[in-house]
Amino acid sequence: MNRLLLLGVAALSLASCAPRFNPNSSKPDADLSCTEIRSEITRANSARNEAANNRGLSGQNVAWAILFLPGVVANEYTNDRVQKAADARIVTLNRLFVSKKCSN
């Protein structure tokens, strides 16, 4: 029983380390200034890089493999979704950056 409880606590602890990315900004995209667009692109790139670093033979996946093997699959799936959401957000923001004629 104690081992099962310990396993559950460890699984929840590792799950809380998974990157999360909310692609929405605090205001509508059309209202973002050029500086805010750059900031949003940086935020999306940061989330994407964190998710990429947690894939494959990462510390998280090794810990999941030791504690709870299906956790590796869940971790890979979550990181894949974060990367895809960040990529889509970056494309949208780059289009907005160009359409607003922002300068680099």
Side-chain angles (χ1 to χ4, degrees):
M1 181 69 173
N2 286 339
R3 183 174 167 91
L4 184 60
L5 180 62
L6 180 62
L7 184 63
V9 169
L12 288 174
S13 297
L14 286 173
S16 67
C17 296
R20 289 177 174 76
F21 177 65
N22 180 0
N24 302 321
S25 63
S26 58
K27 59 184 179 180
D29 287 349
D31 296 341
L32 294 175
S33 69
C34 292
T35 304
E36 291 170 325
I37 294 169
R38 278 191 217 101
S39 176
E40 285 292 309
I41 291 171
T42 301
R43 187 175 73 87
N45 274 323
S46 176
R48 187 192 191 297
N49 291 337
E50 181 182 353
N53 289 336
N54 289 335
R55 294 191 72 186
L57 191 59
S58 69
Q60 279 186 1
N61 279 343
V62 170
W64 275 118
I66 292 169
L67 297 172
F68 185 63
L69 194 55
V72 174
V73 175
N75 190 47
E76 285 294 310
Y77 177 75
T78 300
N79 286 313
D80 182 60
R81 290 188 64 202
V82 167
Q83 283 184 290
K84 287 179 180 176
D87 287 342
R89 182 69 176 150
I90 291 167
V91 167
T92 300
L93 290 168
N94 281 326
R95 286 183 183 148
L96 183 62
F97 192 81
V98 170
S99 71
K100 286 193 167 211
K101 297 180 172 83
C102 297
S103 63
N104 292 333

